[in-house]
Amino acid sequence: MDETGQQVIREEILDTEEMKKVFIRSIPSDAQDGELKSFLEGVCGGAISELSVVRKDGQKSLFGFATFETSELVDELLLNRDSLIFNTKGLEVNRAVPKHISAKWHGAQEKTKKLFIANLPKDTKEEELMAYLKARHPVKYGIIESIQLIKEKDQNGEKTNVNRGFGFVFVSSEDMADKMAIQHHSFQWGGRKIELKKNVATGGGEGGRGRGGRGGRGGERGGRGGARGGGVQQFQGYGGYGGGDGGYGGQWAADPYAAGYGGGYDGFAGGYGQGYGGGYGAPAAAAAGGGGRGRGGANNRYTPY
C-alpha cells in the first residue's frame, strides 16, 4: 500500500537485474570504487550488490554500472537526483536499458514522458488500463497522468468508439517513463501480449520498405511496416501503424568514453554498450538522420545501438 492508501501490486520483474541496474556517467577520474559505492548507498538508503567503473588512460571522466539490492532503491536514488554530487561533480544516472529492449526499440534511451502502447484488445477501456498500470506504481515514484487510445473512424471520417488497438500513456516524469518502458515492455493483459515503448520522433522518412512504402535506409527493424504512414511521429516504429519496422536506426551521443563497451558487460552483451555504451560513442554527425539495418526512414545512416 502506498502513501495514498492504494494497494500496490509488486510484479516479479522488479526482482530481476534489469530493473535494479543503473548506468552512471560523469564519474570523476580520481573516484575510488568504495567511496562511490558508499556515496550512492547513502543517497538511496540501501545497499549496492555490484559496482563496476570503467577506466581508460587519459579519461577526464568515467562511467560505470551499479546494481542495487532492490528496484525500489533505484527509484529512491533517482528521486534524489539533486543530491548526486560526488567529489564536487554531478553524476548522471539513469536506469540501464537491457539489450533486448535497446535492440528492439528505436529511441530506447531518449528522454520523454510519452509512451506508445500497442496490440490492445479493441474493447479496451482507458479507465481499465489506467487502473491496471496505476496498481503497479506507487505514486511516490511517479504518476500515470492519462491514457489516450486511438479510435477508428467511420466512412464519413468521424471517430467511433472502437479502438484501433494502440494509443499513448502520459506519465509525470522521464524517470517514470524509463521504468515503465522496461517493466512493461511486454506484458499480458486482456488475453493479449501488450507492448509498451517510448514514443519518440523518427526523424522523418517514408516508412519501411519491407511490405510497402519507400525511403532511404533507416526506420526501425527491417521488413514489415511503413505502408501506413512512415515518418508520422506518433505512430513510428510499430508495424503498419506508421514509420515502419524498417532497420535498427541507432541513438547516439558524443561520448567517446563509452565507445566500444558494448560487448558483454555483466551478461548484457551489447546491451549497455550498444545502448548506454557503444551508442554514446557513435559519431555526432549521425544526429542528422535515420539509419540502421533495413530500409525506410530518413536518408542518412547512423550506428545501431
Side-chain angles (χ1 to χ4, degrees):
M1 195 168 290
D2 65 14
E3 292 83 350
T4 66
Q6 171 184 296
Q7 190 68 38
V8 177
I9 298 172
R10 193 176 188 281
E11 297 183 314
E12 291 183 5
I13 192 173
L14 295 178
D15 293 322
T16 63
E17 183 177 0
E18 65 188 32
M19 292 300 299
K20 297 188 287 187
K21 196 156 196 168
V22 299
F23 175 72
I24 311 165
R25 293 179 64 223
S26 300
I27 303 171
S29 58
D30 60 350
Q32 299 299 310
D33 288 16
E35 292 178 354
L36 178 60
K37 180 174 181 289
S38 296
F39 169 77
L40 294 173
E41 289 176 336
V43 174
C44 72
I48 290 175
S49 56
E50 184 176 0
L51 175 72
S52 300
V53 178
V54 179
R55 290 180 167 83
K56 292 180 72 176
D57 292 341
Q59 284 182 272
K60 294 182 179 179
S61 119
L62 313 175
F63 72 96
F65 307 94
T67 303
F68 292 78
E69 289 194 344
T70 69
S71 174
E72 287 78 8
L73 291 176
V74 175
D75 292 325
E76 290 290 339
L77 184 74
L78 299 177
L79 201 61
N80 291 280
R81 282 185 176 278
D82 292 344
S83 300
L84 294 176
I85 309 297
F86 179 67
N87 291 355
T88 73
K89 191 168 184 179
L91 301 176
E92 298 177 39
V93 182
N94 294 284
R95 285 185 182 273
V97 181
K99 177 185 177 181
H100 65 92
I101 294 178
S102 65
K104 183 177 182 181
W105 296 132
H106 165 70
Q109 288 80 37
E110 289 282 350
K111 288 301 180 183
T112 182
K113 292 190 256 185
K114 184 178 181 180
L115 298 148
F116 177 68
I117 190 165
N119 203 35
L120 294 164
K122 290 202 170 186
D123 61 354
T124 298
K125 292 181 173 57
E126 292 172 348
E127 59 271 20
E128 292 175 351
L129 182 58
M130 174 75 82
Y132 175 89
L133 293 173
K134 275 191 170 182
R136 286 153 176 79
H137 294 279
V139 297
K140 178 180 181 181
Y141 303 126
I143 298 170
I144 301 165
E145 295 181 335
S146 64
I147 294 176
Q148 176 191 0
L149 300 183
I150 305 304
K151 307 293 185 182
E152 291 187 355
K153 293 182 179 181
D154 61 23
Q155 58 186 2
N156 298 318
E158 300 295 328
K159 286 185 180 180
T160 68
N161 291 322
V162 180
N163 297 316
R164 293 183 62 186
F166 61 97
F168 304 97
V169 179
F170 300 85
V171 298
S172 59
S173 70
E174 294 170 346
D175 287 328
M176 177 76 165
D178 286 348
K179 181 180 181 180
M180 290 184 65
I182 301 172
Q183 182 174 344
H184 304 298
H185 78 276
S186 178
F187 65 98
Q188 293 291 327
W189 189 77
R192 304 189 69 166
K193 182 180 178 181
I194 311 301
E195 293 186 330
L196 185 75
K197 57 171 283 188
K198 292 182 183 179
N199 187 80
V200 296
T202 63
E206 293 191 53
R209 191 175 150 179
R211 292 185 187 168
R214 295 183 288 111
R217 294 181 172 279
E220 272 202 22
R221 267 201 337 255
R224 319 185 320 257
R228 288 181 58 188
V232 178
Q233 178 174 345
Q234 296 168 299
F235 308 141
Q236 58 86 25
Y238 192 81
Y241 295 145
D245 263 357
Y248 283 175
Q251 287 310 110
W252 67 92
D255 186 350
Y257 308 129
Y261 283 89
Y265 231 85
D266 297 324
F268 277 76
Y272 297 125
Q274 293 173 10
Y276 276 119
Y280 278 114
R293 287 185 273 161
R295 296 181 181 273
N299 292 323
N300 296 322
R301 302 177 64 183
Y302 47 85
T303 305
Y305 67 102

